[in-house]
Amino acid sequence: MLDKLKSIREQTLKQLESVADAGALRQIESATVGKKGEVTTILRTVGELPLSERPAVGRLANEIRQELEAAIAAREELIEAQALAQSLEEGALDVTLPGRPVAVGRLHPATQMLRQVYAIWADMGFQVYRSRDVEEDEINFTLLNMPPHHPARDMWDTFHTTTEGVILRTHTSPGQIRAMREYAPEPIRVILPGMCYRYEQITARHEMQFNQVEGLAVGRNIRMTDLKGTMAEFARRMYGEHLQVRFRCSHFPFTEPSMEVDAECALCEGKGCSVCKYTGWLEIGGAGMVHPVVLQNGGYDPRVFSGFAFGLGTERIMMVKHDIQDIRAFWANDLRFLEQF
Ligand code: DAH
């Protein structure tokens, strides 16, 4: 019996040396010093041995139990320490690494430009008036002095909806009629910004959608000089204080007289470059005195009231300021373009 005990000890200690996980350790424990383990069983049955053998077997079995329990505990500690070291190593967090940058969104360049334009007109007392993108043919054309079959309609290539007489607005000018009908006979000073749509061949210079900012001032004694001064002030604030502005005769059905407003090219300061096509001048928009028929359609008596109006293409302004060669870049959703602004 003593030999058996000794061999249990030898064998168990040897096994313990190589055991590497907690589960295997538990198995060894229960096979030896556990409730039904070999050593425990021997201890429990000492009483059945011949009297002479009992003290020696009992003592040795107790010794071995203690020795094995201690060895198991030591091994357990070691296994735990190893597991901890391993998990620390695997899940190591290097706090000295640089953080991951968080991508911050920003406004689309076209929106940034619109807001710059609003700010300038706000300084001059113009409020933003929102008008609709889906417009009636009558308001987009007829009430702006372009009756059906009027050749002037050819200037605007139009998207039609499946509803007769309902189109996508080709310019922001119909908002003039809506604003006038809302405010008449009060004086008006508004800008009407927003997306316009034209059924166009898309090229580097032409898109089928683009933003315009329309302006409208209606009141008593509003004159051409007011329009010229206002446009010149806008151009100076938008492009630079020292730049000249010029006005060219033009034609729009909804204004009389009508003109085209140019500013000296901000890039070459009038000397001539590729952006201004070597003319030294950049077109910034159309403008004119509101046509009496349009005033009347808006609900104002043209014998008492007068007004001026203008229309600016804001993507064009952005293209000039940043030397953007292709208007299609605005709606192509290419981050390499958008992230520059
Ligand atoms: N609606 C014109 C266009 O889209 C621009 C324009 C010209 C607006 C003259 C005006 C104006 O208000 O007076 O081409």
Side-chain angles (χ1 to χ4, degrees), residues 200-215:
E200 295 229 48
Q201 183 73 42
I202 297 172
T203 68
R205 304 280 306 159
H206 294 95
E207 249 293 5
M208 60 177 216
Q209 61 173 80
F210 50 90
N211 283 291
Q212 281 190 342
V213 174
E214 186 92 5

Side-chain angles (χ1 to χ4, degrees), residues 26-328:
R26 288 278 93 78
Q27 264 174 19
I28 295 172
E29 188 180 30
S30 74
T32 52
V33 297
K35 262 190 210 153
K36 289 180 184 160
E38 282 184 292
V39 180
T40 315
T41 311
I42 290 170
L43 270 169
R44 206 181 293 135
T45 55
V46 161
E48 291 161 18
L49 291 172
L51 200 61
S52 61
E53 287 181 25
R54 284 182 206 169
V57 172
R59 200 179 317 119
L60 186 63
N62 261 319
E63 259 177 45
I64 291 176
R65 187 182 62 180
Q66 280 171 17
E67 190 184 348
L68 291 183
E69 277 175 356
I72 290 168
R75 194 70 202 176
E76 187 172 19
E77 238 173 71
L78 190 73
I79 290 173
E80 274 175 10
Q82 277 171 350
L84 180 64
Q86 193 185 354
S87 94
L88 279 177
E89 197 178 316
E90 281 171 0
L93 179 67
D94 183 352
V95 294
T96 64
L97 281 174
R100 294 195 192 101
V102 178
V104 182
R106 59 185 150 233
L107 293 174
H108 190 279
T111 308
Q112 292 181 32
M113 176 46 67
L114 280 172
R115 292 191 177 185
Q116 278 182 42
V117 173
Y118 301 165
I120 294 173
W121 290 108
D123 274 355
M124 293 195 266
F126 286 76
Q127 286 187 322
V128 171
Y129 185 93
R130 294 269 168 205
S131 189
R132 58 191 67 191
D133 288 28
V134 179
E135 191 48 281
E136 289 160 38
D137 177 294
E138 189 185 17
I139 298 187
N140 192 84
F141 293 118
T142 310
L143 297 177
L144 290 171
N145 205 21
M146 284 176 276
H149 312 300
H150 192 289
R153 285 191 179 208
D154 291 349
M155 281 174 17
W156 292 275
D157 308 294
T158 311
F159 285 112
H160 298 264
T161 68
T162 47
T163 309
E164 181 74 25
V166 177
I167 61 169
L168 297 187
R169 66 175 169 192
T170 59
H171 52 171
T172 44
S173 304
Q176 289 188 32
I177 298 289
R178 294 189 177 275
M180 284 192 278
R181 290 192 165 177
E182 182 170 337
Y183 292 121
E186 299 298 321
I188 297 182
R189 216 187 276 180
V190 291
I191 52 169
L192 307 114
M195 195 65 84
C196 303
Y197 308 86
R198 290 191 196 165
Y199 182 62
E200 295 229 48
Q201 183 73 42
I202 297 172
T203 68
R205 304 280 306 159
H206 294 95
E207 249 293 5
M208 60 177 216
Q209 61 173 80
F210 50 90
N211 283 291
Q212 281 190 342
V213 174
E214 186 92 5
L216 175 69
V218 179
R220 291 163 204 264
N221 297 318
I222 292 185
R223 296 156 200 266
M224 187 85 168
T225 46
D226 298 316
L227 172 59
K228 289 172 73 178
T230 308
M231 293 309 285
E233 183 59 21
F234 171 78
R236 275 197 288 271
R237 293 205 195 188
M238 191 78 238
Y239 295 102
E241 285 297 325
H242 53 289
L243 294 177
Q244 295 287 317
V245 177
R246 77 175 181 187
F247 304 94
R248 281 183 289 117
C249 288
S250 186
H251 168 76
F252 298 100
F254 31 87
T255 44
E256 179 58 38
S258 304
M259 64 194 196
E260 216 90 45
V261 186
D262 298 342
E264 229 174 349
C265 178
L267 290 175
C268 62
E269 312 219 310
K271 287 186 213 66
C273 66
S274 61
V275 173
C276 61
K277 300 204 193 84
Y278 301 95
T279 61
W281 296 95
L282 291 168
E283 190 184 313
I284 66 174
M289 301 308 290
V290 181
H291 197 287
V293 168
V294 176
L295 278 174
Q296 193 141 34
N297 290 339
Y300 290 86
D301 180 349
R303 287 166 304 181
V304 182
F305 290 93
S306 56
F308 66 71
F310 56 84
L312 313 163
T314 50
E315 275 85 63
R316 284 279 163 81
I317 300 179
M318 189 98 185
M319 288 173 79
V320 166
K321 287 191 95 153
H322 297 280
D323 198 6
I324 299 166
Q325 305 290 342
D326 194 328
I327 195 168
R328 290 171 290 196

